[in-house]
Amino acid sequence: MTITLHHLENSRSQRVLWLLEELGLPYNVRRYARDAKTMLAPEALKRIHPLGKSPIIEDDGRILVETGAIIEYLVEKGDGRFAAPAHRDGALRYRQFMHYAEGSLMPPLFVLLVLSRVPVFGKTAIRRFRPMVDVHLDYVETVLSERPWFAGDTITAADVMMSFPLEAARSRAGLDGSRPATIAWLDKIHARSAYQAALTQGGPYAYA
């Protein structure tokens, strides 16, 4: 069966496209543009799932939402690549970063993005809030200084999950050359042929 991905431009959905390309799973993509004024997802997505969010996949009569759940589902359908490492420590690191990406790292980045759109007060709030973001970026830099990938020596779905928040941080939250291991990791994933193919399939993506 062919997987259908409902893909919103400039969104978390790009990670799902990337993983589909890496795993070589058959899929088709339906692309959605954001509302030009609000930058929100279009109402059309609510006809697929009540939350009206992306990513959404349809597969074998099932409709799945939430990036982490979708990525775990795709890894299970795949050929073993991008799964958790077999050894205990690597498996625990894999599990941690699968959840850390959205549970801890993405929320302060989202707040920073919202504050950047608030005139006057936003700039003051950002100065007070940025140290919270820096704690996370420093932590990530330490991790990637110690090993090439988040779970260990090979790329896994944990790296796919971590891609969007770190791309957003590079674009909007001050991630730069002062954290060279993180920048090198981003450059490394962006150079992958499957990542480039996903960009072609997904259309505009501001964070690459």
Side-chain angles (χ1 to χ4, degrees), residues 95-150:
R95 185 181 301 169
Q96 171 184 304
F97 285 105
M98 286 290 291
H99 292 275
Y100 172 77
E102 290 292 334
S104 292
L105 180 54
M106 198 61 211
L109 290 173
F110 180 75
V111 171
L112 204 63
L113 173 61
V114 171
L115 291 175
S116 70
R117 298 179 178 178
V118 178
V120 185
F121 170 76
K123 292 182 179 179
T124 301
I126 285 173
R127 285 196 296 270
R128 295 191 176 188
F129 194 81
R130 183 171 293 282
M132 302 179 196
V133 173
D134 288 339
V135 167
H136 288 283
L137 296 182
D138 288 344
Y139 168 59
V140 168
E141 178 68 13
T142 299
V143 169
L144 292 175
S145 296
E146 295 172 349
R147 52 183 177 268
W149 303 100
F150 279 99

Side-chain angles (χ1 to χ4, degrees), residues 83-94 151-152 154 156:
H87 55 89
R88 181 64 171 165
D89 288 343
L92 289 174
R93 288 194 295 265
Y94 173 94
T154 58
T156 68

